[in-house]
Amino acid sequence: MLEFPTEISITQILPFAVFALFALCWIIQMIYYWAIYSRMAFYRKKPGESARPPVSVVICAKNEYQNLMKNLPVVLEQDYPDYEVIVVNDASDDDSIELLNSFTRKYKHLRIFDLERNLNFFSGKKFPLSLGIKSAKNEIVLLTDADCKPSSPNWISNMVSGYDAKTEIVLGYGTYRKTVGFLNQLIRYDSFLVAMQYMSYALAGSPYMGVGRNLSYKKSLFYNAKGFTAHYKLKSGDDDLFINRAATKVNTRIEISPDAHTVSSAKANLVQWILQKRRHFTTAKYYRPKFKFLLSLAYISKLLLYLSFAILIFLNYNLLITLIAFSVFFTSHWVILALCTNKVRENDLAVLSPVLEILLLALSPIIYFSNVIIKQEKWK
């Protein structure tokens, strides 16, 4: 039975306040799961255009000899009738340019843009990426990274199938290669959650980001949005900040079929992953206010839900209702998560999701606030 304080005292008000906070956070989380994340869980792809327009694949590479040797042939051997691959070699001091030149003898649709020295007109990889996009011969541009490999020879076909008459942006899914170890699961789970969020928001008519590992948009949109000039001083944001400003509720679609994925290797240790996360967090404060509020509310309400639940269990306050409510939340979380992971063939992540969820909730503020202390200067 619900307990309400009958007299004003700290010992009575505090448990009730915690319970009220728990109830509020529960409501917010249920709205997020069933009004937003469920859109990806129950997504059914609409048919796109049957035409196969010419495509320009753009890749920026800085000291990526090994990755180019492994991954670039898969990009160059796609089952697609008309496409070019542009690799911008960003002042590499390894043997990347020699390797790329050797590839051009075999692959006539490969074009090299070689920056022999650092030109810091933009921060990070925005300048070389801008050069690659502007030199593209085709209207549809498809972006990936040198350390990414398409999951199938039908990668281009599937990503392009997301276009129709109104579409200017297609958001793809970039997964990490599954290996043994808890860290690999943590990184893959974090990447999946990010994708579940931005794809669900896009399906809800509020696209706010994409990932450069697998992203497509029209060259004309890049020009109309003035490229990366709005945030050229930032080292990150060539993907999420550009989409945050250029995407609308009618010009953006998602593509999550397994053949449309790109696959890359996750960071080998925790420190490297934290540095990668820090770089991603630097752009969040530049999102439009609407998305800063919604994303912050999603994280804070979930964190407070777990904390208030633990306190209520410790205090033994309204125990039955608390347990029932949390069970409903957890069931909703698991059902939506299981359906979404099944969409992108990441089913194993649902098993450890409670542990991974709590760990990410604890790590995220530490990583976020570490940006205040330590600054990262280079994209490579």
Side-chain angles (χ1 to χ4, degrees):
M1 182 176 178
L2 260 167
E3 300 174 17
F4 294 93
T6 57
E7 298 180 7
I8 299 177
S9 68
I10 295 296
T11 56
Q12 290 176 317
I13 292 177
L14 185 59
F16 178 75
V18 174
F19 183 79
L21 178 64
F22 172 79
L24 176 62
C25 293
W26 183 88
I27 293 171
I28 293 172
Q29 282 297 304
M30 293 299 286
I31 292 173
Y32 273 98
Y33 274 95
W34 289 106
I36 299 177
Y37 305 149
S38 64
R39 294 174 184 268
M40 179 177 172
F42 298 104
Y43 172 68
R44 293 290 182 272
K45 181 179 177 178
K46 297 178 181 178
E49 299 288 345
S50 58
R52 304 180 83 188
V55 175
S56 294
V57 179
V58 180
I59 301 171
C60 289
K62 187 176 183 69
N63 298 326
E64 294 278 12
Y65 179 90
Q66 293 296 331
N67 284 323
L68 289 170
M69 185 168 58
K70 291 186 299 182
N71 300 329
L72 188 55
V74 184
V75 178
L76 291 164
E77 295 170 5
Q78 288 286 297
D79 184 12
Y80 197 78
D82 186 1
Y83 76 103
E84 64 174 353
V85 178
I86 302 168
V87 179
V88 183
N89 181 45
D90 184 19
S92 298
D93 53 21
D94 60 6
D95 294 328
S96 293
I97 189 61
E98 287 78 10
L99 176 67
L100 291 170
N101 286 331
S102 70
F103 278 144
T104 59
R105 291 190 283 272
K106 180 179 179 182
Y107 302 102
K108 302 306 179 184
H109 55 303
L110 172 61
R111 295 170 55 209
I112 311 295
F113 205 122
D114 186 28
L115 294 177
E116 296 182 356
R117 58 189 178 89
N118 286 309
L119 299 172
N120 296 316
F121 296 107
F122 293 123
S123 296
K125 68 174 183 178
K126 291 175 183 175
F127 179 66
L129 184 56
S130 295
L131 291 178
I133 294 170
K134 289 180 179 180
S135 67
K137 297 177 180 178
N138 303 313
E139 170 69 349
I140 293 180
V141 175
L142 179 54
L143 308 179
T144 190
D145 291 334
D147 63 349
C148 296
K149 178 183 292 186
S151 61
S152 81
N154 300 310
W155 170 58
I156 296 178
S157 296
N158 279 269
M159 286 296 292
V160 171
S161 71
Y163 282 96
D164 59 19
K166 296 180 180 179
T167 305
E168 294 180 288
I169 299 171
V170 176
L171 307 178
Y173 182 70
T175 186
Y176 288 108
R177 191 169 289 104
K178 182 180 178 181
T179 61
V180 296
F182 183 76
L183 179 62
N184 177 263
Q185 289 182 306
L186 178 66
I187 294 173
R188 289 171 53 232
Y189 185 73
D190 174 66
S191 178
F192 162 76
L193 286 183
V194 172
M196 183 178 76
Q197 279 191 319
Y198 74 72
M199 288 187 170
S200 296
Y201 273 92
L203 291 171
S206 296
Y208 71 92
M209 71 162 284
V211 292
R213 302 192 304 274
N214 199 6
L215 174 64
S216 180
Y217 46 78
K218 291 186 175 181
K219 185 177 178 179
S220 57
L221 176 72
F222 184 78
Y223 279 108
N224 293 336
K226 298 181 180 179
F228 307 129
T229 54
H231 44 87
Y232 75 95
K233 292 183 179 180
L234 300 177
K235 297 170 182 63
S236 299
D238 52 274
D239 45 15
D240 57 346
L241 288 184
F242 176 78
I243 298 301
N244 197 256
R245 284 159 174 75
T248 68
K249 64 180 180 180
V250 297
N251 77 346
T252 305
R253 294 182 68 175
I254 71 169
E255 178 52 58
I256 57 175
S257 59
D259 279 354
H261 297 177
T262 59
V263 184
S264 55
S265 297
K267 296 300 181 183
N269 60 64
L270 184 62
V271 174
Q272 290 179 341
W273 175 68
I274 288 175
L275 289 174
Q276 182 185 54
K277 286 292 293 180
R278 284 184 54 238
R279 188 169 66 251
H280 295 163
F281 276 138
T282 59
T283 60
K285 63 181 179 180
Y286 297 99
Y287 286 4
R288 283 182 281 172
K290 168 187 173 180
F291 297 112
K292 287 195 288 187
F293 172 76
L294 289 173
L295 295 171
S296 298
L297 181 63
Y299 170 78
I300 293 171
S301 61
K302 182 176 285 188
L303 179 63
L304 292 177
L305 180 68
Y306 278 92
L307 289 175
S308 58
F309 172 73
I311 294 171
L312 290 172
I313 295 299
F314 177 77
L315 296 175
N316 196 27
Y317 186 81
N318 286 332
L319 189 59
L320 180 60
I321 291 179
T322 299
L323 288 171
I324 291 174
F326 191 80
S327 297
V328 172
F329 159 74
F330 183 78
T331 301
S332 299
H333 161 83
W334 194 88
V335 168
I336 297 297
L337 191 79
L339 290 172
C340 288
T341 53
N342 184 61
K343 294 284 186 185
V344 293
R345 302 296 188 266
E346 302 270 26
N347 308 67
D348 62 301
L349 295 176
V351 178
L352 281 178
S353 64
V355 177
L356 298 170
E357 187 91 8
I358 293 172
L359 186 56
L360 283 175
L361 284 172
L363 282 174
S364 292
I366 298 173
I367 298 171
Y368 181 82
F369 288 111
S370 71
N371 280 324
V372 178
I373 303 171
I374 306 171
K375 302 297 182 182
Q376 187 165 325
E377 298 299 328
K378 299 179 180 179
W379 76 278
K380 283 286 184 182

